[in-house]
Amino acid sequence: MNSQPPGPGNRRPSTTTKSALGVKAVRNSRDRPPAGRLPDQRELVAAFAGGSEREPGRPLLTWAHTLADLHRRRHGDPLATAGIDCRRAELVALIDRWIEAEPTGRRARRPRADSLGATIDRMAAAHVHADHLLHSAECVSDDRVHAAWYRLALLADEWTDLVTGAEQVRRRA
């Protein structure tokens, strides 16, 4: 056991965040996910809904949130579809470049031609659609609502498979 009192050189680095109530909370660096780790499906869905905190080193969650916002805007303003789709394509390309540029570059074996960025975009679209149906349907047990959330679940499973494949390829290298 270390008999030295805790000092600046004896502590693990931590970050300070502000909660919704304005109270500062210290989070130890051990609690943060590694910077190079791809987000899991729960983190992505939270980002689509706007519920995830923006963390330094985790730009994919910010970009996922932005993609969902673009899909919401696309539904609300059909005349702006071309510009919105162009921005979405730029974000998908940015995500793919970021993933490839990671020091641990991920080149997953995919059963389809879609990139990881395109998969995030499809998940964002599915989430926005399912959320819209949930809030606008007369009855939440409507088959369309169920089908939309089921589609999102299938895409989330596909994301998990892609990420798991990317991590396995990375470990082999």
Side-chain angles (χ1 to χ4, degrees), residues 2-53:
N2 191 353
S3 62
Q4 293 180 342
N10 297 333
R11 285 190 228 136
R12 295 183 66 77
S14 63
T15 58
T16 303
T17 59
K18 226 174 196 184
S19 71
L21 299 174
V23 177
K24 288 187 179 187
V26 175
R27 188 168 31 136
N28 196 308
S29 62
R30 288 181 296 199
D31 298 335
R32 282 184 289 169
R37 183 180 68 79
L38 292 174
D40 64 24
Q41 60 179 302
R42 292 179 316 261
E43 292 170 314
L44 279 178
V45 171
F48 299 147
S52 65
E53 290 183 22

Side-chain angles (χ1 to χ4, degrees), residues 47-49 63-73 124-125 127-128:
F48 299 147
W63 295 329
H65 177 75
T66 303
L67 283 169
D69 279 345
L70 288 170
H71 282 285
R72 282 185 202 92
R73 283 185 39 214
H127 181 273
V128 168

